[in-house]
């Protein structure tokens, strides 16, 4: 058996974590031969609820769960962490403007970035799920100057999986028949779900579905799926978000399949003309625990326009918290 790895999860008593922690502990994320120590962070008022979650984790008797730590102090929860899944965030309250939301989260993610910088493994892989995820990842990254900036990522895998499901439904295929889907940009309603490179059972997806469906149905459905779930369920997507977080870390750690890629929001290196440094969702392949942005894709005018809109939103979010960025 391998040595255990340390997986820190914030917002550990919340809805997403209620699904996520059990999947990590059962080996869905890092493999059925990889023991894990869960290091769970919550705010002080949620510590009792978190103790209840830990009782349930114990009661599953997971063979791979080698230990559990709970804390309301980031320096304890992130100590020697190999992976950090930053799920906890401040939700938008009544009357709260977007700017207030950005600032409230900037406060949380700057503290957590500093704590990761101080105590996490030097190779820690960070996934930010809590919204606004891309900009929260940027804030954590900028507060962790001693860690590799490339190791700060945000989750657009749920959007990617939603896009696969919509295209599979329309074409009568299985999601596993689809290759090379892309989500570009921000995890928000400006994201651009792009099927121009995708194939279904080897045939170009764009040739299999009406253009009108793609533009007026598929794109807005994927962009607004989160809101549709809140409307239907009365709560935001939780199990599907957890599942996508598992997919994101699993593929980053263990690699993407040959002939396919996934969408991850990662620090832009200027690829496709996207401003360097923004945490922007690109198609990436992963190998040996590292990712690379897929290069050389042709971008037509329709795509370019949408990629720029979502880039612009990320610039505005960054500028909105500029005074909090070191
Ligand atoms: P939730 O409200 O059920 O749980 C969040 C938990 O975070 C709460 O238990 C809260 O006490 C905790 N928390 C708040 N501040 C904290 C801090 N400073 N340190 C540690 N814990 C803290 O929310 P849920 O449903 O689990 O969602 C979590 C976040 O994920 C939200 O921001 C949501 O918008 C986002 N989300 C992102 C998705 C994505 O695709 N990127 C998809 C779905 C949700």
């Amino acid at each position: 058996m391998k040595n255990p790895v340390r997986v820190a999860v914030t917002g550990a008593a919340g809805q997403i974590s209620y699904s996520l922690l059990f999947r990590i502990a059962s080996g869905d994320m890092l493999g059925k031969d990889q023991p894990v120590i869960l290091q769970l962070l919550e705010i002080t008022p949620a510590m009792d609820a978190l103790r209840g979650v830990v009782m349930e984790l114990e009661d599953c008797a997971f063979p791979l769960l080698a230990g559990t730590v709970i804390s309301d102090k980031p320096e304890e929860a992130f100590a020697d962490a190999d992976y950090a899944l930053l799920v906890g965030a401040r939700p938008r309250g009544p009357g709260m403007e977007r700017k207030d939301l950005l600032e409230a989260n900037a406060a949380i993610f700057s503290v957590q970035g500093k704590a990761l910088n101080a105590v996490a493994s030097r190779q820690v892989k960070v996934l930010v799920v809590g919204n606004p995820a891309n900009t929260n990842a940027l804030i954590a990254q900028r507060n962790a100057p001693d860690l590799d900036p490339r190791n700060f990522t945000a989750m657009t895998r749920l959007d990617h999986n939603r896009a696969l499901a919509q295209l599979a439904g329309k074409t009568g295929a299985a999601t596993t028949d689809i290759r090379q889907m892309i989500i570009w940009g921000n995890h928000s309603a400006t994201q651009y779900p792009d099927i121009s490179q995708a194939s279904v059972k080897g045939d170009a997806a764009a040739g299999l579905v009406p253009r009108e469906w793609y533009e007026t149905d598929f794109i807005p459905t994927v962009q607004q799926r989160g809101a549709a779930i809140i409307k239907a369920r009365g709560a935001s997507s939780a199990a599907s978000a957890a599942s996508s977080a598992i997919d994101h870390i699993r593929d980053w750690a263990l690699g993407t399949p040959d002939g396919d890629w996934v969408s991850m929001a990662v620090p832009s290196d200027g690829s496709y003309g996207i401003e360097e440094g923004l945490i922007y969702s690109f198609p990436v392949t992963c190998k040996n625990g590292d990712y690379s942005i897929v290069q050389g894709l042709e971008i037509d005018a329709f795509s370019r326009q949408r990629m720029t809109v979502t880039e612009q939103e990320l610039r505005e979010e960054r500028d909105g918290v500029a005074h909090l960025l070191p």
Side-chain angles (χ1 to χ4, degrees):
M1 200 56 118
K2 297 177 178 170
N3 287 329
V5 295
R6 295 178 181 273
V7 181
V9 180
T10 74
Q15 293 299 314
I16 292 175
S17 290
Y18 195 64
S19 196
L20 178 63
L21 299 179
F22 297 84
R23 303 246 343 245
I24 299 172
S26 69
D28 284 353
M29 187 168 84
L30 295 169
K32 301 286 180 190
D33 60 347
Q34 178 59 67
V36 293
I37 297 170
L38 287 173
Q39 306 193 157
L40 308 177
L41 182 69
E42 258 298 347
I43 52 174
T44 314
M47 289 304 281
D48 271 340
L50 182 55
R51 282 184 196 97
V53 174
V54 171
M55 287 173 3
E56 288 204 71
L57 279 166
E58 287 166 7
D59 294 349
C60 293
F62 286 121
L64 292 169
L65 185 56
T68 311
V69 175
I70 64 169
S71 182
D72 55 4
K73 297 180 187 62
E75 292 75 15
E76 285 177 10
F78 294 154
D80 299 319
D82 300 293
Y83 298 89
L85 284 71
L86 309 186
V87 179
R90 175 84 184 274
R92 192 188 290 239
M96 220 172 158
E97 301 283 329
R98 186 178 174 79
K99 184 172 158 289
D100 304 327
L101 183 74
L102 273 165
E103 290 210 358
N105 280 294
I108 294 174
F109 285 84
S110 55
V111 168
Q112 294 186 357
K114 288 189 177 84
L116 285 164
N117 193 56
V119 301
S121 156
R122 299 301 84 183
Q123 283 79 45
V124 63
K125 288 179 163 56
V126 182
L127 167 62
V128 177
V129 174
N131 280 318
N134 301 51
T135 297
N136 288 341
L138 179 71
I139 293 164
Q141 179 212 52
R142 296 277 280 269
N143 280 281
D146 303 329
L147 299 175
D148 183 348
R150 294 183 75 255
N151 279 357
F152 286 78
T153 69
M155 188 166 93
T156 51
R157 185 60 176 268
L158 178 54
D159 310 295
H160 181 103
N161 288 342
R162 286 167 171 167
L164 292 178
Q166 291 301 315
L167 183 60
K170 182 69 177 175
T171 55
T175 51
T176 47
D177 294 329
I178 302 174
R179 302 266 180 282
Q180 302 182 324
M181 180 64 74
I182 307 175
I183 304 294
W184 299 99
N186 200 2
H187 169 68
S188 77
T190 67
Q191 66 174 269
Y192 169 42
D194 175 6
I195 65 164
S196 65
Q197 312 291 334
S199 64
V200 183
K201 294 185 190 157
D203 295 324
L208 298 174
V209 297
R211 182 76 194 176
E212 199 200 333
W213 174 81
Y214 172 55
E215 290 187 21
T216 62
D217 192 331
F218 173 85
I219 293 176
T221 298
V222 175
Q223 288 174 329
Q224 282 150 37
R225 185 71 161 181
I229 287 168
I230 292 175
K231 188 157 173 270
R233 208 174 83 87
S236 79
S237 39
S240 56
S243 195
S244 300
I246 295 278
D247 290 345
H248 177 116
I249 296 282
R250 185 198 58 231
D251 288 345
W252 187 2
L254 305 179
T256 43
D258 284 343
D260 203 2
W261 60 55
V262 295
S263 302
M264 281 170 62
V266 301
S268 172
D269 59 359
S271 291
Y272 300 100
I274 302 303
E275 184 178 331
E276 210 174 324
L278 290 176
I279 308 283
Y280 190 95
S281 181
F282 289 99
V284 304
T285 54
C286 305
K287 204 176 179 181
N288 300 326
D290 197 8
Y291 64 80
S292 346
I293 297 173
V294 175
Q295 297 296 318
L297 301 176
E298 262 187 52
I299 309 294
D300 64 14
F302 179 87
S303 292
R304 174 56 64 190
Q305 196 258 335
R306 278 156 189 76
M307 287 164 67
T308 303
V309 167
T310 190
E311 178 188 15
Q312 186 53 30
E313 185 184 45
L314 283 170
R315 282 210 188 99
E316 285 165 17
E317 287 186 13
R318 177 201 57 198
D319 294 347
V321 294
H323 56 296
L324 297 165
L325 291 175

